[in-house]
Amino acid sequence: MGDGRGGAGRPSAPPAAAALGRLAAGHTPAEGTPGPDERRLLAAEDAITAGETDLARDIAHDVLGRATAGPARVRAWMVVIESAGQSLGDVDAVFPQALADAGDDPRLLALVHYQLAWRGLVVEGDFAEARQEAAHAAELAARGGDRRTELMALSFQASTETLMGHPDAPATIKKALREPQDPSVACHHNGAGAARFRWLLMSDQLPEARTTITALLREVRRRGMVESEVHFQRFLADTELRSGHCGRALDLARESLRLARDSGIGLGASAMLASLAEASGGDVDRALVLAREAAARAEEDGDQMYLSRALAALGYAQLVAGDAAGAVGALRRVRELGHGLGINDPARGRWQGDLAEALVRTGEIGEAQDLIDVTRAHALRLGRESVLAVLDRAEALVRAARGEREDAVDRLTSVQDRLAKLGYGLEEARAAFALARLRSVPGSGTAPYDEAARLFRRCRALPWLRQVERAASADAAPPPPVPAAVAASAPASDALDGLAAMERQVAALVMEGAPTREIAARLFISVKTGEATLTRVYRKLGIRSRVDIVRLAAGRHAT
């Protein structure tokens, strides 16, 4: 969902319109039509639409210092709330004053309750409360004949229900799309068109989602709606990323971030999406920086919803960077935040597969399987086919770690085909990569990785392609032979069987003579994690060095 609420803005406003409107208000006689306060309010609302939040807030306070009538004061309070962006906790004191000024007028109460719905989501992190307030705002607006606010509230309710996995979401979207429509709401980043786009994206309808968001972006550019343009540029980047068009997504995400920095709008959300795009198709180190920036901004704003999105981006970037332990830490926190927010739809954020994969890499197989089972139940209920395929890919990794290699290969072959048919190019390539790693053996050459390399190249997923090249290069070299003297003197042992899955993988690569840095690269973990795992292997086996591991293995094979 977009950062700004857009409850009071007018259809179109170039940046100069607000300043000109304020100037005109100063030269309007008190008995003029429209009057000076009306002109000031129109200028403030134009400033919000144009992304000039400081100017909007100054004009609104000017009106509040002059106006005594409820309608003018409530509209001014709405501008003050809008100008706070995601920092709604900073304007908590405004809500009681706005409700008092609204009295029993349903039109004015609808405006306040619409903003209270956003407060419930952003400040309280409570989707159920946000949905209830939005539904109440829609009812009040309908009673007061305010179609614009009714449509905005219905759209907000629909988006909230979509993210919650609520069964009423399709019906609410349909209701929000009924005629008569307000053109400015239809193309607003929190309007009915955007709500429908989110539903399409989460329902795996990628081509229709792309067509929808492209049309919306074109329209807001035509209307000069800067805030909506920032969000729609990001939405389009997200759609391209899911489709596996990483180069295109990276260009769009970088442009969205540039626009966000220039306008001061949606910085956290744009940094979050830019992080995902960088980790997939650009610079992983920059992805980590952007994700941490987005998380810090969300923490500062007290925005639980975007904090979870930023941490999901951080976890993904850490996974791509080879820091599986870091990814586990970030993504476990995403899971906790999601439970607190009441988000049950795994298509929102799509972090579960990454957490399961990171857990497998750190040897926590049981937790990975539990996560897969819980998430699969929600995905089945909601019909999230791409999520189910990604979960099956993660489960294949679990099976492989348990030694069920043949089953894992069969599962990954099926998953790759399903993701290709759904149009998720990057996820398809990741399945091909996992399959290549299972099929490859040391000294087999690079052939098992050719398909994964081709798919990542097609996606322009450069960080992933570099991982494939490292893995293929490592497997191309023949394993060093075990010296005959070592084999003859080494005692047979079954001690290796008592190791955890990740520990066995590290031990196996040590037996091949791989240095710690190569082991980290091949298992996609950090060097620090590799060293810590090797230390645990020494402790569990009661040995002190790599040579001792080779001796154990040699003795085992000799028997």
Side-chain angles (χ1 to χ4, degrees), residues 441-453:
V441 294
S444 64
T446 62
Y449 293 95
D450 288 350
E451 173 72 356

Side-chain angles (χ1 to χ4, degrees), residues 339-370:
H339 288 160
L341 288 165
I343 299 173
N344 294 315
D345 193 335
R348 189 265 183 189
R350 305 174 66 88
W351 50 267
Q352 294 87 349
D354 290 336
L355 176 54
E357 182 173 336
L359 287 166
V360 171
R361 292 187 189 183
T362 56
E364 295 165 274
I365 308 302
E367 184 181 344
Q369 187 63 61
D370 290 344

